[in-house]
Amino acid sequence: MTENRPRERAPGAARRGWTVRIRVLTTTLAFMTVGLALTGVLTYAAQFRALDQRIDAELWQEFDELKLLAEDTGADGAPVHTTVDSVLVHATDSAAPSDYESVITLLDGMAKYQPNQQAFGLLPRPSPDDTAEETARIDAESDRVLREILAAHRPGSARIVSMEAQGRDLRVLIASVSVQGDPSAGIFVVASDVGAQHRGLWQSVLTFSVLSVITLLLAGWVGYVVTGRLLRPLEDLRAATEQITVDDLEYRVPVPAERDDISALAQNFNRMLGRIQAGFAEQRRFMSDVGHELRTPLTIVRGTLETTDIEDAQDVGESREIALEELDRMGRVVGDLSELAASKRPDYVRPRPLDLAAFARSAFARIEHIAEREWILEHTVEAVADADEQRLVQAVVQLAANAVRYSDEGSRIRFGVDRVPGPGGAEIQVSVQDEGVGISAEDQRRIFERFTRVDPGRGAGTGLGLPIVQSIAEGHGGRVQLQSAPGHGSTFSIVFPQSTPVPAADVAHPTARDAAAPGTTRDT
């Protein structure tokens, strides 16, 4: 019975570094952080650029309105404004500065007009309540800004420049104003507080950053909980790998109810543990059987040598014969065990296109000399299959030797190769039929187990022949079938899938001499 029980950390278990849960969560949050950062940088870079473009566009729009005002004409086609001062007055009166704009006009290098209401004054004037120090500071600042405006002014044109005034970062439109017939030089100035608008956008950046951090924290908490549930089976797998030892393979990982990859992994892990457990149990039983099989001849040899009268030549000779027979028996057991161990390798069977008719004749030529029986090559088939000729001959010889061991001298043993229908298409059947003692239904279930001998008195077999035959059949992707009844003989058949026919040049033809033709019989 398997059980799911809590385990403590095994002594010497390695301390963990970052768990899968933390690594998955860290990677996810890292990608989210990079994604949010890139999104914010690109978005707000575009917004800052759009803001600067919008500010410049609004300033140029003020210039376009100024031009329309200066070129305005009456109903008779005469200009409405004949002096620069008139243009500046009407431009100032029609100006409607926004929350971030300031307008002022200059005439002949001196400040002239500005709107009554605007967010800030580009050239502020001290109030009566200001101290002398404040008044001096304001006048000095106004003179500095005025000098910068005049220095940036280009007669007959308009331009936008950056400027700092009153602690503000400004974009300033400086447009020259002139009227034909009036020598006065006018300047129309519109300043936009870029710094204040940038600060508003930076406030939005700060808000986005705070919300992003909150989102990351929330996503981290949710991800920690969710990944903990999803990866709980992995934690159980880790605990299992720390606790499972050769002496205790009973532990099984709890399988989650959800049908997902983690659930499938847990099921596969449990199946793997089951296979490992079965393999270790089989290995222990195998070693026990080997020990038992080798212990008996060793005991016989030791007992024989201990009781041998070394002064009696006849007794020494008999003891020598017994010892050699038991050593031969041990040699056969060790050889069969090596063969059985080799059968577990993936390259034990090496299929290649094989002409089955030629194989049948070759194999029959080998087995008909095993013992004095009436050997019959009952049938063959003209077909090609993917098979390992050497292993198939080995299996046929083993089945033939087994048939000889459990049949009487002079009885018939039939051998044949045929093609039969199978669930996945045509199959090849290699069969050996004897007229021996037969096998009971109870014994049929265990004869393919190692070291099993139904009738030990029938010969000195190791009990490993049929397991080797079964391994060869399974190596061909097939199976061994048995039909038998006590007193009616036995028929062993190796059945495996047939391959697609290939050109004759690629077929391996056995080169047996004196091969018998189908339907012939020989008494040896």
Side-chain angles (χ1 to χ4, degrees):
M1 293 290 291
T2 61
E3 56 180 347
N4 299 321
R5 58 181 184 273
R7 295 297 187 94
E8 297 180 354
R9 180 182 291 272
R15 292 184 177 275
R16 292 180 294 164
W18 280 23
T19 63
V20 174
R21 181 183 190 182
I22 296 299
R23 281 183 286 178
V24 169
L25 188 59
T26 302
T27 303
T28 302
L29 291 179
F31 275 106
M32 289 183 62
T33 302
V34 172
L36 288 172
L38 285 176
T39 300
V41 168
L42 295 177
T43 299
Y44 283 102
Q47 291 191 22
F48 275 107
R49 182 179 180 182
L51 174 62
D52 292 339
Q53 292 175 344
R54 178 176 60 80
I55 291 173
D56 285 356
E58 291 175 351
L59 293 176
W60 286 117
Q61 183 179 359
E62 294 287 346
F63 175 72
D64 292 337
E65 292 176 357
L66 175 66
K67 287 179 62 178
L68 292 175
L69 179 65
E71 297 171 355
D72 191 17
T73 59
D76 56 356
V80 174
H81 305 289
T82 58
T83 64
V84 172
D85 184 77
S86 175
V87 173
L88 296 180
V89 169
H90 284 82
T92 304
D93 291 341
S94 62
S98 67
D99 293 338
Y100 300 103
E101 288 182 346
S102 176
V103 176
I104 191 170
T105 60
L106 306 179
L107 184 62
D108 294 330
M110 300 298 294
K112 188 67 174 177
Y113 307 110
Q114 64 180 0
N116 294 326
Q117 293 183 350
Q118 54 184 357
F120 63 94
L122 185 60
L123 298 175
R125 298 174 182 175
S127 66
D129 297 331
D130 291 336
T131 64
E133 182 179 352
E134 291 176 345
T135 300
R137 182 185 62 78
I138 293 174
D139 289 340
E141 177 68 11
S142 296
D143 290 341
R144 182 188 68 80
V145 174
L146 179 59
R147 287 195 301 272
E148 289 189 12
I149 293 175
L150 293 175
H153 172 245
R154 297 291 183 270
S157 65
R159 62 185 304 205
I160 295 177
V161 297
S162 296
M163 188 179 298
E164 189 274 330
Q166 310 298 331
R168 302 171 186 267
D169 292 328
L170 305 176
R171 291 284 287 170
V172 182
L173 169 69
I174 302 175
S176 179
V177 179
S178 61
V179 174
Q180 187 175 4
D182 185 353
S184 300
I187 301 176
F188 182 76
V189 180
V190 181
S192 179
D193 191 347
V194 178
Q197 298 179 70
H198 279 183
R199 284 191 295 273
L201 200 52
W202 278 114
Q203 185 65 37
S204 176
V205 172
L206 178 61
T207 302
F208 174 82
S209 301
V210 172
L211 292 177
S212 297
V213 171
I214 294 174
T215 300
L216 289 173
L217 292 176
L218 182 61
W221 178 78
V222 173
Y224 187 82
V225 173
V226 172
T227 54
R229 290 186 178 182
L230 292 177
L231 299 178
R232 178 59 185 273
L234 293 181
E235 185 70 14
D236 295 333
L237 287 175
R238 182 198 60 78
T241 57
E242 289 183 354
Q243 301 301 324
I244 294 171
T245 64
V246 175
D247 299 324
D248 184 7
L249 295 171
E250 297 292 331
Y251 182 73
R252 294 296 182 270
V253 177
V255 178
E258 295 80 3
R259 298 175 61 87
D260 53 18
D261 293 339
I262 300 297
S263 175
L265 177 61
Q267 292 175 350
N268 291 339
F269 187 80
N270 285 339
R271 283 194 288 267
M272 181 189 70
L273 287 179
R275 291 192 298 270
I276 293 175
Q277 183 179 12
F280 271 101
E282 179 67 14
Q283 186 180 45
R284 291 190 184 99
R285 189 172 69 86
F286 177 75
M287 296 305 298
S288 176
D289 292 342
V290 170
H292 174 74
E293 289 294 323
L294 296 181
R295 189 181 300 113
T296 300
L298 287 174
T299 301
I300 294 174
V301 171
R302 182 181 183 86
T304 300
L305 294 177
E306 288 177 347
T307 59
T308 299
D309 183 358
I310 59 175
E311 297 181 356
D312 186 345
Q314 183 178 358
D315 193 21
V316 171
E318 291 177 356
S319 298
R320 177 178 179 276
E321 293 297 328
I322 293 174
L324 290 176
E325 289 177 0
E326 293 303 320
L327 289 175
D328 288 342
R329 176 184 170 190
M330 291 174 62
R332 289 193 299 272
V333 171
V334 172
D336 287 346
L337 286 174
S338 299
E339 184 70 24
L340 194 59
S343 69
K344 303 303 180 183
R345 297 199 309 263
D347 61 344
Y348 178 68
V349 173
R350 300 179 180 180
R352 59 172 299 182
L354 178 64
D355 186 331
L356 295 176
F359 160 75
R361 294 191 293 270
S362 174
F364 184 77
R366 297 169 188 263
I367 65 175
E368 64 177 347
H369 300 290
I370 293 178
E372 293 189 2
R373 298 291 188 272
E374 184 179 350
W375 297 92
I376 301 175
L377 179 56
E378 195 166 40
H379 47 74
T380 62
V381 60
E382 295 293 337
V384 174
D386 278 339
D388 188 325
E389 179 188 2
Q390 179 182 354
R391 296 303 178 191
L392 279 183
V393 169
Q394 180 183 356
V396 169
V397 170
Q398 181 61 54
L399 292 178
N402 197 65
V404 168
R405 186 175 299 116
Y406 292 98
S407 64
D408 296 328
E409 184 177 341
S411 61
R412 294 185 179 89
I413 298 179
R414 294 177 170 85
F415 170 68
V417 179
D418 200 359
R419 180 167 50 195
V420 297
E427 294 182 330
I428 302 303
Q429 178 176 285
V430 180
S431 58
V432 176
Q433 179 183 7
D434 64 63
E435 297 176 347
V437 297
I439 306 172
S440 65
E442 180 180 354
D443 290 334
Q444 289 181 30
R445 289 191 292 269
R446 64 186 186 89
I447 60 172
F448 290 98
E449 298 177 1
R450 291 189 297 267
F451 303 113
T452 298
R453 290 185 288 272
V454 176
D455 186 2
R458 281 280 182 169
T462 62
L464 296 173
L466 290 180
I468 292 175
V469 172
Q470 187 176 39
S471 297
I472 292 175
E474 291 174 351
H476 285 81
R479 61 198 181 277
V480 179
Q481 294 179 343
L482 170 60
Q483 294 178 345
S484 182
H488 294 83
S490 303
T491 301
F492 287 88
S493 300
I494 300 174
V495 183
F496 59 92
Q498 180 188 1
S499 68
T500 303
V502 298
D506 296 333
V507 177
H509 293 278
T511 57
R513 295 181 179 274
D514 302 326
T520 63
T521 63
R522 294 192 182 186
D523 296 326
T524 58

